[in-house]
Amino acid sequence: MNKGMKDKFLKLLYGISALLVLTGAFLKLQHLPNGDLFLFTGFISGSLISAFEIHGLKKEVKELEKGKK
């Protein structure tokens, strides 16, 4: 998977997790069931996606540093 496709895929996943959080917040405000589940799932998925992206960025920085030396 090239960098452009990877970025688009990560943006899609971020959008889905944000949608889950917003849906969960709406459900909680309306006192409807499963609001907690949506919020929890959205926050956890957003955190995992961020961790994955940070790991990839660290890898890129190491490769760039090797190229300079």
Side-chain angles (χ1 to χ4, degrees):
M1 186 183 297
N2 63 12
K3 187 170 171 32
M5 287 182 66
K6 183 179 174 184
D7 288 342
K8 285 182 183 180
F9 184 67
L10 285 175
K11 285 182 184 180
L12 175 70
L13 290 178
Y14 273 128
I16 291 170
S17 66
L19 181 65
L20 286 171
V21 170
L22 290 172
T23 303
F26 176 75
L27 291 174
K28 291 290 285 181
L29 286 171
Q30 297 296 321
H31 302 288
L32 295 172
N34 297 327
D36 290 334
L37 177 66
F38 277 89
L39 278 171
F40 182 75
T41 306
F43 282 130
I44 295 299
S45 63
S47 300
L48 291 174
I49 295 165
S50 296
F52 178 73
E53 190 171 14
I54 288 170
H55 177 71
L57 289 172
K58 285 182 180 180
K59 193 174 176 183
E60 283 185 38
V61 168
K62 283 183 182 180
E63 289 175 3
L64 289 172
E65 286 177 347
K66 282 183 183 177
K68 278 188 171 182
K69 293 180 180 180

